[in-house]
Amino acid sequence: MKTTGEIIREQREKKGLLLRQMAAQLDIDSAILSKVERGERNATREQISKIADILELDKESILIEYLSDKILYELQDDDLGIKALKVAEKKIKCGVHKKMNK
C-alpha cells in the first residue's frame, strides 16, 4: 500500500511536473511539498484538495488516503489501535460524533 505522499509524487512525475512547479501552484515552498511526498510532513486537507485538482486525481479517493494516513499516524504504535478503530466506526454509524460536536 502507498502513502498519500507516494501517490502524489508518482502522479506528479507521471504528469511531468517538477516539484517546484507544483509547489508554486500550491503557493508553498518546494521543501514542504518534498516533505509531504516523503511522509515527513502532513499536508492540510485544503492542500490535498488542490493537489487533487492539479494532478487530476479523484478527490474523494485521495482524501480517503489522506485521512487514513492521519489515523495511521495517531494509532500505529498503540496496541489498542485496531480496537479503537472498531469502536470509532460503531460510534460514527450510531451518530455519536454528531452529539460530541454540539
Side-chain angles (χ1 to χ4, degrees):
M1 298 190 85
K2 296 178 184 174
T3 65
T4 306
E6 291 169 336
I7 293 167
I8 291 168
R9 175 183 285 148
E10 193 174 274
Q11 189 65 19
R12 176 182 59 77
E13 290 174 349
K14 280 183 185 176
K15 292 273 185 193
L17 281 172
L18 298 174
L19 193 67
R20 62 179 159 75
Q21 292 172 315
M22 192 160 123
Q25 289 183 53
L26 294 167
D27 197 28
I28 62 172
D29 190 83
S30 57
I32 292 172
L33 181 56
S34 179
K35 287 180 181 182
V36 167
E37 288 185 348
R38 291 192 316 267
E40 296 172 5
R41 182 174 176 145
N42 290 326
T44 66
R45 188 179 182 125
E46 181 181 314
Q47 289 168 335
I48 295 295
S49 289
K50 286 181 183 179
I51 289 167
D53 291 338
I54 293 166
L55 298 178
E56 299 174 339
L57 294 168
D58 178 68
K59 199 172 285 191
E60 182 176 313
S61 295
I62 196 70
L63 283 170
I64 289 169
E65 292 294 336
Y66 161 76
L67 291 171
S68 72
D69 285 351
K70 284 179 66 170
I71 293 166
L72 175 62
Y73 176 78
E74 287 296 321
L75 299 178
Q76 66 186 346
D77 296 324
D78 196 314
D79 294 339
L80 299 175
I82 297 295
K83 288 181 181 179
L85 279 174
K86 290 177 182 176
V87 171
E89 181 181 23
K90 288 178 187 175
K91 287 180 178 180
I92 288 170
K93 288 179 180 176
C94 294
V96 171
H97 67 290
K98 293 175 185 172
K99 296 174 190 171
M100 292 174 61
N101 291 327
K102 287 187 179 183

